[in-house]
Amino acid sequence: MDLFYKSTRNSDLKVTASQAVLTGLAPDGGLFVPSCIPCLDVPLEKLGGMTYQETAFAVMKLFFTDFTEEELRSCVAKAYDEKFDTEEIAPLAKVDDVYYLELFHGATIAFKDMALSILPHLMTTSAKKNHVEKEIVILAATSGDTGKAAMAGFADVEGTRIIVFYPKNGVSRVQELQMVTQKGNNVDVVAIHGNFDQAQSGVKAMFEDQKLAGELAEKGYQFSSANSINIGRLVPQIVYYVYAYAKLLENEEISPGEEINVVVPTGNFGNILAAYYAKQMGIPFGKLICASNENRVLYDFFQTGIYDKNRKFILTTSPSMDILISSNLERLLYLVSGEDAAKTRELMEQLKKSGSYQITEAMKERLADFGAGFADEAETAESIREVYGRTGYVMDTHTAVAAHVCESYREQTGDGRKCLIASTASPYKFAKSVLTAIDPVYEKEEELDLLQKLPGISGRVTPQAIRDILDAKVLHATECDADQMKETVKKILKV
Ligand SMILES: *Cc1c(COP(=O)(O)O)cnc(C)c1O
């Protein structure tokens, strides 16, 4: 039987891939998961000779089972084109003996582009397939990178509107400028007086609000999600893990069947979950190592089996990982509970009520594929400085969290397998933190002035995304309190 999607909170609910993409979140508040994880049907040796676009098609066709070949190929072609500054789309950089999988060569120079450049096409195709006449309103909460990538992806896409919420003091200057200068007749962005978790909870509450859905429907609107709870985000992220392994094999960096470890700087648990899916599909990954910043709720979870968000929210130099509620973890819990929807629902209800939960011993045993580590602020900066000093390679703060964790994991475990590090943002996006880590003299300088210094230091030309913001006009200035998100959306949509 063809693969379909069910909710993590109700295994009997059954929808097609296109329906799952369209609705984003299941009506019971659960996340959509594939009914099984398919095995790759192309040998890795053959994948090694394929382009990113061909690999994307080979992987995604296994998940988007109700899309025709023509539909899916068209989505892939529209997504992975000249918006990326390299034909490889996701190039590998070998630095010492680790491989950095650079996922920041798209329009907004962070890894969110990998999925958000295709999601709008998956969504409009899904709308057509399901004869949806209403305008789709994308609501997104962002810790900095999703917002811009989603706005860039959906800007002026017919039949859609997008409203993004970001924490007013929780994003970098470059991230904020990228968002407030976004053009497009269908885009809005709102700064909330609160943190990312509040933005995400506010958005989730609107998705679950049936009364609001009714009011919107009368005006011809329906909500969908561009956050990584949407399966249309997760599936495209599997592609680059398959691609990276196949390229390492093709380039004879590894031998057939050789296991490698993967280290992923983690916030909402979407990127690392995609690596886990890739492993389930047959890619020989060893440990999937979850790297946290000082908001180390996931590290603690992997150590103890207890998830506890009742702690201080810390603003760090890796803001896209400043998250205490990792929403995609629900998909992993569902898998390690043996697809037990009742158990998953119970844990999620506990999280909502008390802010914590504990998984069973049996579930904990099934987490053996994962490792975990964290880097504090000093370790993150040291990692940037040290790797730069030794090799000349400049990485961003998020990637540096992973690089530190990679190193300490090796020391602590003696695990000598080769490592693939997901490099999630361009150093240009976090210029001040990156340069200050290399040399504290930069601390006093303006972020925007520092952008001029990066080409010389990093040997990377200034990306188009940065040139764009330097002289762009600010087009958005809406702000609201965290408890006013719903009213703000109604005002924007004139409902
Ligand atoms: C979003 C983001 C992350 C975290 O990814 P998750 O899928 O949420 O775990 C890490 N680094 C950067 C630069 C990001 O934008």
Side-chain angles (χ1 to χ4, degrees):
M1 186 170 151
D2 262 356
L3 177 149
F4 58 91
Y5 289 82
K6 49 193 182 170
S7 165
T8 49
R9 302 190 195 177
N10 175 4
S11 301
D12 297 329
L13 189 105
K14 208 167 134 179
V15 301
T16 61
S18 64
Q19 287 165 341
V21 168
L22 262 182
T23 40
L25 196 67
D28 54 19
L31 308 192
F32 287 117
V33 280
S35 53
C36 65
I37 298 179
C39 285
L40 275 173
D41 58 2
V42 187
L44 280 168
E45 291 70 32
K46 196 163 165 215
L47 280 166
M50 283 163 55
T51 62
Y52 193 87
Q53 292 80 354
E54 289 164 343
T55 312
F57 177 76
V59 172
M60 290 200 271
K61 76 173 197 311
L62 302 172
F63 287 92
F64 296 129
T65 41
D66 68 329
F67 282 58
T68 65
E69 171 163 354
E70 197 192 345
E71 285 168 341
L72 193 55
R73 284 201 190 275
S74 155
C75 290
V76 167
K78 285 183 200 149
Y80 305 111
D81 59 9
E82 304 76 48
K83 291 191 287 297
F84 288 78
D85 67 12
T86 159
E87 261 176 41
E88 292 171 279
I89 307 294
L92 285 157
K94 185 175 183 182
V95 180
D96 287 336
D97 59 345
V98 292
Y99 304 96
Y100 289 85
L101 175 58
E102 295 187 348
L103 304 173
F104 54 77
H105 289 270
T108 76
I109 59 176
F111 100 96
K112 304 296 194 291
D113 289 324
M114 302 306 297
L116 281 164
S117 38
I118 195 165
L119 183 69
H121 306 295
L122 294 173
M123 206 170 266
T124 47
T125 308
S126 298
K128 262 192 225 123
K129 295 180 81 65
N130 290 280
H131 312 291
V132 168
E133 308 280 322
K134 294 197 187 72
E135 193 161 44
I136 298 166
V137 180
I138 305 294
L139 290 185
T142 183
S143 56
D145 292 329
T146 296
K148 175 63 184 186
M151 284 193 281
F154 280 96
D156 293 326
V157 171
E158 218 176 293
T160 70
R161 292 197 60 146
I162 173 160
I163 306 173
V164 167
F165 294 91
Y166 72 92
K168 176 71 190 153
N169 295 312
V171 301
S172 84
R173 181 72 188 132
V174 171
Q175 286 177 317
E176 181 165 47
L177 273 175
Q178 280 189 308
M179 288 190 278
V180 297
T181 58
Q182 176 67 46
K183 293 190 196 120
N185 287 326
N186 60 340
V187 303
D188 281 276
V189 57
V190 180
I192 70 153
H193 309 139
N195 62 36
F196 171 73
D197 284 324
Q198 288 169 300
Q200 176 158 265
S201 300
V203 165
K204 227 172 158 217
M206 283 188 266
F207 284 133
E208 289 170 31
D209 188 333
Q210 298 305 322
K211 183 163 165 274
L212 181 63
E215 290 168 7
L216 283 168
E218 267 176 40
K219 296 272 177 180
Y221 293 121
Q222 86 177 48
F223 280 145
S224 189
S225 165
N227 278 104
S228 56
I229 52 174
N230 193 316
I231 198 75
R233 280 278 301 276
L234 200 55
V235 171
Q237 292 178 180
I238 303 169
V239 173
Y240 46 77
Y241 288 110
V242 174
Y243 179 74
Y245 190 90
K247 287 293 173 225
L248 288 174
L249 199 57
E250 158 107 337
N251 300 339
E252 295 179 2
E253 295 288 344
I254 54 177
S255 45
E258 182 175 343
E259 282 193 358
I260 60 171
N261 293 334
V262 183
V263 190
V264 185
T266 297
N268 232 346
F269 210 74
N271 200 2
I272 193 168
L273 188 68
Y276 182 67
Y277 279 16
K279 179 171 181 176
Q280 307 280 311
M281 292 179 82
I283 301 296
F285 285 153
K287 287 278 183 190
L288 308 165
I289 302 164
C290 173
S292 299
N293 66 20
E294 287 183 6
N295 294 295
R296 44 183 260 200
V297 63
L298 285 167
Y299 170 78
D300 293 344
F301 169 73
F302 282 108
Q303 296 307 106
T304 62
I306 298 171
Y307 193 97
D308 186 2
K309 77 161 183 87
N310 299 311
R311 60 182 76 203
K312 209 172 140 236
F313 185 95
I314 301 165
L315 288 176
T316 72
T317 51
S318 46
S320 304
M321 295 154 66
D322 290 345
I323 289 174
L324 293 179
I325 307 173
S326 287
S327 44
N328 272 296
L329 193 63
E330 178 168 348
R331 289 191 164 109
L332 182 64
L333 296 177
Y334 180 74
L335 286 175
V336 300
S337 69
E339 312 215 329
D340 185 339
K343 182 72 191 169
T344 311
R345 185 171 352 103
E346 179 197 315
L347 294 175
M348 289 302 109
E349 275 164 11
Q350 280 173 22
L351 179 66
K352 197 162 182 183
K353 225 169 57 214
S354 67
S356 74
Y357 59 81
Q358 177 163 19
I359 60 172
T360 64
E361 268 313 305
M363 287 172 79
K364 198 163 171 237
E365 271 164 33
R366 292 210 182 120
L367 293 177
D369 284 317
F370 290 87
F374 72 97
D376 65 23
E377 288 291 273
E379 288 163 337
T380 305
E382 173 58 20
S383 185
I384 293 173
R385 200 184 62 76
E386 195 271 325
V387 171
Y388 173 69
R390 200 157 37 82
T391 69
Y393 188 72
V394 177
M395 57 188 162
D396 97 290
T397 43
H398 303 76
T399 309
V401 168
H404 173 85
V405 167
C406 179
E407 178 93 17
S408 58
Y409 177 83
R410 279 180 162 177
E411 271 167 25
Q412 281 160 20
T413 61
D415 183 341
R417 284 175 285 192
K418 291 181 182 130
C419 269
L420 181 71
I421 293 180
S423 179
T424 50
S426 160
Y428 279 88
K429 208 153 189 179
F430 303 94
K432 181 145 186 177
S433 304
V434 168
L435 284 172
T436 308
I438 289 174
D439 189 335
V441 298
Y442 295 115
E443 170 108 58
K444 286 180 225 71
E445 295 192 37
E446 283 293 319
E447 178 118 31
L448 295 186
D449 297 333
L450 288 176
L451 290 171
Q452 324 283 346
K453 307 231 158 98
L454 259 180
I457 293 170
S458 69
R460 267 181 210 283
V461 295
T462 306
Q464 185 62 40
I466 294 295
R467 281 181 270 145
D468 284 348
I469 57 169
L470 290 177
D471 43 26
K473 269 219 287 295
V474 171
L475 302 172
H476 307 272
T478 312
E479 293 186 19
C480 78
D481 287 338
D483 59 4
Q484 292 296 309
M485 289 169 58
K486 182 167 144 181
E487 284 63 32
T488 307
V489 165
K490 286 174 128 181
K491 211 186 279 167
I492 288 171
L493 297 176
K494 305 196 173 69
V495 171

